[in-house]
């Protein structure tokens, strides 16, 4: 008495958001049925396991049929096979591309290659996310990466237009693409305390300020636009070169002292950790400027975050600076440089420190 | 040279990758009509080619225009090998031939391949220039409108109903031709699709000719079916009702609604000023306006519509095919009444001179009628006949196939009209049944077949009725329906000379005429009928095993089983009806399907409580006279369960018959009946049966004896039918009696289930249980799936059963779920209106505010009988009628509550509607419904009939997700293609949609499956009730705009 065939097709495609989520989470049909049977409101419909099973199978089939279209969300809007109201389409896409922060943390900055994909079962057992879901999320990253890699123009906008995602999600994807492209190291033990959102914020800052596209509005770059393929994905080489000049802040003894005294004057009496700031000033300044100077090396770009943590955040934390202290310090540290007569690289300095400041603010957890 | 067909290939998109090396495609397009083919240039290396071709022009006869589809093939160019086909699009250009329908076909069509399914889309523009030709009507019937809808289409008015038209064409099935052994499955599928497309075109043209000959201009209730008879070929047959329809212009529309009884005759009928707005063929208006100038004066080269000369007796001479046992069947068959025709002739007294009497077949495929059309309803008449299939002789095909040397080749050579004769025979039978019931017409008429190997059951069913003859005459008009909302219930036959035993009482409404205790019909509930409470879907299900056999033996055993099946189905229906305390069935449809080793019977209908009919009595359980105490207790417990179930049902369906004071007042009513007797139906009884029934009847109770195994089964099936969950109702008719306040929430769906029986030795009982559970589970699944639409009603629930293979049972359901507004309470009105405003804050605040106001006015006017105030907003003819019915009822019974809810619902619906649809996408949203209307909208234009046939085959069943994955995709593809065609015609909905055929075959061992689907419906343009001033042209351009190439 086996049910050989069982289908339900609506003129408007029926999709249950709850089942969709179970499907996205990689539940098998049987597991999904178990979850649904105990979920709320089921008794109301006196739904037997059989009925729920049939419904779940149907929906899973629909999702599988839709998956092909979800890989290319722009197609979903003008395909003819499924009649789905626009707001449902948006929901389908958004949910399909939504990822688990725990998962993305594991692959952030890694090369989106077959090799990484093979290791997903480890990631799955570590994070407790089903392998199926891990694969979907990974493939999403890869797909977005592949598409925007070849596109010109602003990264976030490209992602939003090609995948019809919300602004927030598009920005997250931009961060993932940016990290994957520059292969930033995020997996070290010292960086474990950082969440994906911390990194995503930093990536946003880097994209906004340090890439070729960052200076976007000037006429000069409109010309460049035609030549620079990945204007938002790669860091601005020229800028990185310029950063070397900042070294003068630590190599020139006078300048270093002058900078220190300016900062100290400004800070005196405003913080409890003033002494620690004063003693550590040279160390910290060297740390930050050295990071800047080394960024021309791809290897050092990868270590950017670990360097920030090692050279700045850890020393501060060991001295028990509060977030407010750190903000205060960095603000005055940045501003005081403008008062140095012999320091001529104000523009580069601002562009550099602006990002460093906001990154550290974000990365400094109390 | 009466027509020029022009086609332009604009662009393609989402094409599949045909060249693995480059991951691209070099696509070009072949456009074929008849024997002429044009090609576009190759658009190299692109998946979204922009051909933007010139206009390809085909100069053709309009006869071909009607028969042939435009065939568009997309191919991948290959320099070194043969070009690979990507897929095809068949476009039926018939809608372009009717000036009132679409003027251009333009839009994206899915490119369909029978092996791979949909592979991308193509944008096409098609136009037709028809030349004026005085001989236009000689072979072709351009301009005749076709409607699947089984009522007078909204926005039209019936000037005249001419009557029954039928036609069939036969051909060999390409799948069974010798060439099929050497060609690919794709070629064979395409040959079949094309052939059926051609045959339906031809059929439609021929029917059109008959209509013109009768002086009509349209076919309503057009029902076309395919019989895939295997070796013996394909039969495409169609029936319909020829009418003369007048289009109501928007202004006239409102006019007619406001003053339905006072509208001047000339206004709606044939006033030239109005008709000239729709130049059918501008130069020759009188010809186009059938009713004014009877077309019979035209020289006609085609044969008369009904070849009445065809003698029925002819069939009996061919011995092997004459297994039509129905007339001889004693019990249960619809047929037996016919024998009594003799003494009943006197019953035909009054209407002898009506137009109907002169017709060979006074049949109407309509199920819903203008008010006043239906005078009395007699009951269901049906006929079945079992036939052995033979090869169809078709002279057009030339010689018989050389590889077949079977003996019957010689037998069949001279019988080109076998199928015609078969159907004629059945129709005669139906006609005589109707006469026996004192009726001169059959309404709600339909025909169907079930084929297994070489045995075929032909079935026909309808409702015997007496019609108002004025509709048959020219120049007839809106008939004031009077106030007899109960008229149709009154018996048409002579009380003293009843064709079968039935318990008659005086009508509970008018007290003047006699009514039967139970009424079965195949039509929709007449809008004027007074009903207590809501209706519900009632199904009787039955399985009967039979031995495997061949040929004549098989046919005989099937014919022997048929009467028993009909009897049992009928008993089941009657029991279930009683259990629900209802007294009438509408939309009754009995399907009997044959398989190798079993017969399946499924009867579906909508039960209602007609206020005019007596209250049904209870069901009494009786043990077979035994003093056994435990047995008696058992009997008592069952009795209690049944009584409880009845009480519960009464409450659930809100059945509160107004019986209180009337019993005393009504003088001629016999003593109130507590129990009804079991009688075979009004229609289906026979003399043998009546004997049988009387024995039941002597007990003067509806008695089920539980010692009887059948009765145990009956009781079992009675009590296992689970009621739908709270918030759900279901019916198989157009609308649910008792539910009026629809919102625009709408979901049409098709669900298919196939069950594989285990090999174990099955008994009839266990098989019955399996089948019943299958249907029940399917319904449960539907309720669960659609739970978000509560409160909701499944309307037009259409079950089809089949036995595709030995151990398989297939059930397919197509229906529409419509949500309605539950709160009919007056006090809440204002609050709710506000809520609704809040619910849709973004859409057109001003509009919803105005709606809220109109809502309130509706509330206040509702108490005074003033439906004129609604009338201008009344979207449909149907609704007006409903409204009238309400007003009428209000006089006697406490229904004012409902009227208010009606007024309210209209406004709610309109607010909802603005929230519904999905603007902003590139794809036009196309609604589909098996009903003839869309709630909350006005249909402003019919664009033509949609009649599509698709075949899908796979040789990689597992890879496509197994049988379920395969069929799921295919049904979704069929929907997509229907929607695309409608959108290309400029429409935004399909009404009266139905899936006529869904033949599924699988061979999992070979990883193969094949499925054939035939769907039909009417493409329409609708506007929301709220869009008062929207014009068709506006809609059309907007559709075209969104659809057009970018």
């Amino acid at each position: 008495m086996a049910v050989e065939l069982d289908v339900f097709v609506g003129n408007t495609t029926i999709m249950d958001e709850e089942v969709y989520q179970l499907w996205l989470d990689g539940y098998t049909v049987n597991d999904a049925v178990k979850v649904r049977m105990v979920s709320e409101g089921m008794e109301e419909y006196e739904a037997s396991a059989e009925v729920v099973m049939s419904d779940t199978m149907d929906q899973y089939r629909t999702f599988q049929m839709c998956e092909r279209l979800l890989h290319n969300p722009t197609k979903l809007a003008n395909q003819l096979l499924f009649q789905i109201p626009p707001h449902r389409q948006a929901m389908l896409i958004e949910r399909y591309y939504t990822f688990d922060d725990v998962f993305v943390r594991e692959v952030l900055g890694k090369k989106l290659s077959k090799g990484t994909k093979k290791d997903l079962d480890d990631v799955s057992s570590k994070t407790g996310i089903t392998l199926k879901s891990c694969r979907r999320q990974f493939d999403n990253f890869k797909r977005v990466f592949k598409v925007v890699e070849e596109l010109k123009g602003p990264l976030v906008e490209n992602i939003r237009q090609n995948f019809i995602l919300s602004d927030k999600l598009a920005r997250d994807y931009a961060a993932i693409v940016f990290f994957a492209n520059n292969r930033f190291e995020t997996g070290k033990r010292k960086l474990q305390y950082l969440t994906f959102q911390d990194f995503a914020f930093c990536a946003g800052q880097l994209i906004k300020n340090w890439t070729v596209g960052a200076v976007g509005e000037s006429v000069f770059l409109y010309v460049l636009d035609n030549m620079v393929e990945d204007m938002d994905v790669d860091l601005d080489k020229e800028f990185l070169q310029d950063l070397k000049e900042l070294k003068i802040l630590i190599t020139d003894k006078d300048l270093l002292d002058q900078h220190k005294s300016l900062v100290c004057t400004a800070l005196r009496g405003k913080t409890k950790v003033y002494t620690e700031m004063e003693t550590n000033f040279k160390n910290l300044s060297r740390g930050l400027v050295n990071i800047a100077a080394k960024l021309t090396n791809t290897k050092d770009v990868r270590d950017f975050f670990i360097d920030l943590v090692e050279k700045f955040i850890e020393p501060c934390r060991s001295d028990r600076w509060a977030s407010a202290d750190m903000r205060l310090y960095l603000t005055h540290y940045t501003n005081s440089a403008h008062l140095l007569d012999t320091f001529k690289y104000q523009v580069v300095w601002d562009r550099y420190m602006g990002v460093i400041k906001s990154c550290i603010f974000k990365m400094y957890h109390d | 040279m009466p027509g020029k067909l022009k086609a332009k290939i604009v662009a393609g998109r989402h094409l599949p990758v045909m060249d693995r090396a480059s991951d691209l495609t070099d696509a070009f397009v072949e456009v074929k009509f008849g024997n002429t083919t044009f090609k576009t240039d190759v658009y190299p290396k692109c998946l979204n080619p922009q051909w933007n071709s010139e206009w390809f022009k085909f100069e053709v006869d309009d006869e071909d225009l009607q028969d042939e589809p435009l065939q568009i093939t997309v191919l991948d160019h290959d320099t070194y090998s043969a070009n690979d086909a990507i897929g095809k699009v068949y476009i039926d250009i018939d809608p372009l031939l009717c000036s009132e329908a679409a003027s251009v076909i333009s839009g994206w069509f899915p490119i369909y391949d029978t092996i791979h399914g949909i592979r991308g889309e193509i944008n096409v523009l098609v136009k037709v220039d028809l030349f004026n030709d005085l001989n236009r009507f000689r072979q072709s019937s351009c301009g005749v409108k076709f409607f699947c809808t089984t009522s007078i289409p909204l926005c039209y008015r019936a000037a005249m109903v001419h009557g029954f038209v039928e036609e069939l064409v036969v051909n060999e099935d390409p799948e069974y031709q010798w060439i099929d052994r050497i060609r690919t499955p794709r070629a064979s599928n395409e040959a079949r699709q094309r052939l059926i497309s051609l045959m339906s075109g031809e059929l439609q043209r021929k029917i059109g000719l008959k209509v013109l000959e009768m002086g009509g201009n349209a076919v309503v209730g057009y029902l076309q079916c395919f019989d895939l008879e295997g070796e013996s070929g394909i039969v495409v047959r169609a029936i319909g009702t020829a009418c003369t329809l007048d289009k109501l212009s928007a202004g006239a529309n409102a006019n007619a609604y406001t003053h339905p009884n006072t509208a001047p005759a000339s206004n709606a009928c044939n006033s030239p000023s109005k008709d000239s707005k729709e130049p059918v063929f501008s130069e020759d208006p009188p010809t186009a306006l059938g009713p004014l100038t009877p077309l019979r004066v035209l020289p006609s080269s085609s044969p008369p519509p009904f070849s009445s000369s065809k003698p029925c007796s002819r069939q009996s001479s061919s011995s092997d095919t004459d297994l039509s046992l129905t007339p001889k069947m004693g019990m249960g068959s619809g047929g037996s009444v016919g024998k009594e025709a003799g003494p009943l002739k006197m019953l035909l007294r009054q209407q002898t001179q009506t137009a109907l009497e002169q017709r060979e077949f006074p049949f109407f495929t309509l199920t819903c009628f203008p008010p006043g059309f239906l005078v009395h309803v007699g009951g269901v008449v049906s006929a079945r006949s079992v036939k052995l299939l033979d090869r169809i002789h078709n002279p057009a095909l030339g010689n018989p196939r050389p590889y077949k040397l079977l003996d019957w080749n010689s037998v069949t050579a001279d019988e080109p009209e076998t199928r015609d004769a078969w159907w004629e025979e059945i129709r005669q039978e139906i006609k005589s049944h109707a006469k026996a019931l004192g009726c001169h017409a059959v309404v709600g008429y339909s025909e169907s077949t079930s084929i297994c190997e070489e045995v075929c059951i032909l079935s026909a069913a309808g409702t015997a009725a007496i019609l108002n003859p004025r509709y048959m005459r020219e120049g007839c008009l809106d008939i004031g329906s009077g106030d007899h909302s109960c008229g149709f219930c009154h018996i048409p036959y002579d009380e003293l000379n009843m064709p079968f035993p039935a318990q008659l009482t005086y009508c509970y409404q008018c007290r003047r005429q006699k009514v039967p205790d139970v009424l079965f019909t195949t039509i929709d509930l007449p809008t004027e009928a007074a009903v207590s409470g809501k209706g519900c879907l009632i199904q009787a299900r039955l399985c009967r095993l039979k031995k495997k056999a061949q040929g004549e033996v098989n046919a005989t055993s099937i014919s022997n089983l048929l009467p028993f099946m009909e009897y049992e189905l009928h008993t089941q229906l009657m029991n279930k009806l009683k259990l629900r305390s209802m007294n009438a069935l509408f939309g009754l449809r009995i399907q009997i399907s044959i398989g190798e080793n079993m017969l399946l019977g499924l009867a579906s209908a909508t039960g209602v409580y007609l206020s005019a009919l007596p209250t049904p009595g209870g069901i009494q359980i009786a043990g077979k006279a035994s003093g056994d105490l435990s047995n008696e207790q058992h009997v008592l417990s069952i009795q209690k369960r049944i009584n409880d179930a009845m009480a519960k049902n009464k409450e659930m369906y809100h059945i509160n018959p107004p019986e209180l004071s009337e019993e005393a007042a009504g003088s001629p009513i016999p003593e109130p009946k507590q129990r009804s007797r079991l009688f075979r139906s009004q229609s289906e009884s026979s003399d043998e049966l009546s004997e049988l029934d009387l024995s039941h009847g002597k007990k003067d109770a509806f008695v089920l004896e539980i010692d009887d195994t059948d009765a145990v089964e009956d009781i079992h099936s009675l009590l296992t039918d689970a009621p739908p969950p709270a918030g759900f109702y279901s019916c198989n008719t157009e609308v649910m009696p008792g539910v009026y306040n629809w919102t625009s929430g709408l979901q049409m769906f098709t669900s298919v289930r196939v069950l594989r029986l285990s090999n174990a030795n099955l008994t009839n009982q266990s098989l019955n249980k399996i089948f019943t559970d299958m249907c029940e589970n399917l319904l449960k699944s539907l309720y669960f799936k659609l739970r978000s639409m509560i409160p909701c009603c499944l309307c037009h629930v259409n079950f089809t059963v089949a036995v595709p293979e030995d151990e398989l049972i297939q059930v397919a359901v197509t229906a529409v779920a419509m949500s309605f507004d539950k709160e009919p309470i007056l006090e809440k009105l204002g609050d709710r209106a506000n809520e609704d405003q809040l619910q849709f804050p973004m859409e057109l605040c001003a509009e919803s505010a105005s709606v809220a106001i109109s809502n309130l006015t509706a509330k206040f006017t509702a108490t005074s009988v003033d439906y004129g105030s609604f009338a201008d907003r009344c979207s449909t003819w149907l609704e007006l009628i409903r409204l009238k019915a309400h007003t009428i009822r209000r006089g006697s019974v406490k229904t004012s509550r409902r009227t208010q809810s009606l007024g309210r619902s209209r406004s709610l619906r309109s607010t909802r509607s603005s929230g519904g649809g999905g603007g902003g996408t590139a794809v036009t949203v196309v609604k589909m419904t098996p009903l003839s209307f869309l709630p909350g909208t006005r249909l402003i234009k019919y664009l033509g009939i949609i009649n599509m046939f698709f075949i899908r085959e796979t040789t990689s069943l597992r890879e496509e997700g197994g049988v379920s994955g395969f069929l799921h995709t295919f049904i979704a593809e069929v929907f997509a293609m229907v929607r695309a065609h409608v959108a290309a015609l400029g429409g935004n909905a399909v009404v009266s949609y139905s899936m006529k055929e869904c033949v599924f075959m699988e061979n999992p061992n070979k990883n193969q499956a094949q499925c054939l689907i035939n769907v039909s419906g009417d493409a329409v343009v609708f506007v929301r009730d709220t869009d008062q001033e929207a014009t068709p042209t506006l809609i059309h351009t907007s559709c075209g705009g969104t659809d057009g190439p970018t």
Side-chain angles (χ1 to χ4, degrees), chain B residues 418-538:
Chain B
T418 306
R419 299 298 180 280
D420 271 326
W422 287 357
W423 285 111
E424 167 130 355
E425 193 180 282
I426 292 228
R427 287 170 195 144
Q428 287 294 356
E429 205 176 316
I430 289 275
K431 191 179 169 186
S432 71
H433 295 346
K435 272 189 183 157
L437 282 171
C439 295
H440 59 196
V442 176
V443 293
Y445 180 74
S446 66
E447 294 176 346
S448 61
T449 58
S450 170
I451 297 170
C452 178
E453 301 291 314
E454 74 279 301
V455 178
C456 172
I457 301 184
L458 311 184
S459 313
T463 304
I466 292 180
L467 303 178
N468 191 327
R470 287 164 71 188
Y471 263 92
M472 309 300 138
R473 289 199 287 272
E474 295 185 22
C476 74
L477 271 172
D478 311 84
I479 298 159
S481 59
D483 49 7
H484 286 292
S485 62
C486 53
F488 77 95
C489 305
H490 302 160
I491 51 161
Y493 35 84
D494 188 339
E495 189 186 339
L496 302 170
N497 235 328
M498 289 201 294
F500 49 83
Q503 188 142 358
L504 301 180
T505 50
Y506 278 97
C507 173
Y508 274 56
Q509 270 191 309
C510 68
R511 307 278 169 206
R512 273 175 285 177
Q513 304 279 323
K514 289 282 179 80
V515 292
D517 54 348
V518 185
L519 186 62
F520 283 18
T521 73
T522 57
I523 55 171
D524 279 318
L525 182 70
T527 40
E528 68 265 25
V531 174
S532 173
K534 301 200 163 53
C536 79
L537 178 73
I538 293 178

Side-chain angles (χ1 to χ4, degrees), chain A residues 1-2 4-7 9-12 14 16 45 50 54-55 58 61-62 75 78 80-81 83, chain B residues 13-14 747-754 756 758 770 777 785 787 926 928 963-964 968 976 979 1002:
Chain A
M1 249 60 62
E4 180 92 0
L5 179 158
D6 179 10
V7 296
V9 191
N11 182 36
T12 306
I14 291 187
D16 183 316
Y45 307 107
E50 211 178 319
S54 150
D55 178 58
D58 238 9
R61 212 164 33 234
T62 312
K75 261 191 196 172
N78 59 14
L80 302 177
L81 190 56
Q83 185 157 279
Chain B
R13 69 182 181 196
H14 309 157
Q747 171 68 282
M748 191 282 295
F749 60 85
T750 290
S751 185
V752 182
R753 259 184 208 191
V754 176
R756 183 174 289 280
S758 57
I770 290 169
N777 288 339
K785 275 220 181 278
R787 64 194 184 284
V926 176
M928 289 165 76
V963 284
S964 294
H968 193 144
R979 287 192 302 258
E1002 59 167 332

Side-chain angles (χ1 to χ4, degrees), chain A residues 217-232:
Chain A
E217 272 134 67
S218 70
V219 185
F220 148 76
L221 268 164
Y222 264 98
V223 185
L224 266 183
D225 193 85
N226 293 326
M227 295 174 273
V228 187
E229 291 265 294
D230 307 318
M231 54 186 284
D232 270 358

Side-chain angles (χ1 to χ4, degrees), chain A residues 70-83:
Chain A
L70 287 166
H71 290 168
N72 194 345
T74 45
K75 261 191 196 172
L76 193 64
N78 59 14
Q79 53 85 32
L80 302 177
L81 190 56
F82 299 103
Q83 185 157 279

Side-chain angles (χ1 to χ4, degrees), chain B residues 26-30 39-42 51 73-77 83:
Chain B
D26 305 316
F28 71 100
V29 181
E30 274 181 13
K39 280 181 195 178
T40 66
D41 297 331
V42 175
W51 292 288
T73 314
V74 186
L75 299 114
D76 176 53
H77 175 76
N83 299 326

Side-chain angles (χ1 to χ4, degrees), chain B residues 746-797:
Chain B
L746 189 82
Q747 171 68 282
M748 191 282 295
F749 60 85
T750 290
S751 185
V752 182
R753 259 184 208 191
V754 176
L755 203 68
R756 183 174 289 280
L757 304 170
S758 57
N759 296 331
N761 281 338
L762 289 164
T763 59
N764 277 336
Q765 273 90 347
S766 60
L767 201 60
N768 263 344
K769 173 141 176 36
I770 290 169
F771 182 45
T772 304
D773 288 350
M774 184 183 181
C775 295
E776 284 289 313
N777 288 339
L778 186 50
L779 279 170
K780 276 184 201 157
S781 275
L782 299 180
Y783 294 137
F784 179 71
K785 275 220 181 278
L786 300 160
R787 64 194 184 284
S788 65
M789 294 184 74
I790 286 178
C792 143
C793 179
L794 299 189
C795 292
H796 217 287
V797 179

Side-chain angles (χ1 to χ4, degrees), chain B residues 591-608:
Chain B
Q591 198 197 350
I592 291 185
S593 261
I594 18 173
E596 289 265 283
N597 56 353
M598 67 173 114
L599 284 161
L600 284 184
L602 182 73
S604 308
T606 302
V608 295

Side-chain angles (χ1 to χ4, degrees), chain B residues 628-660:
Chain B
D628 194 346
L629 198 70
S630 66
N631 192 25
E632 261 173 46
Q633 267 182 338
H634 181 56
V635 170
L636 281 175
S637 76
I638 293 182
Q639 179 74 58
K640 188 171 179 310
R641 278 173 67 195
I642 287 193
N643 291 346
D644 290 351
M646 286 180 75
K648 215 174 123 196
N649 280 329
K650 259 190 166 175
E651 196 181 327
M652 188 157 98
Y653 299 113
H654 306 113
I655 296 173
N656 306 306
E659 54 194 329
L660 319 160

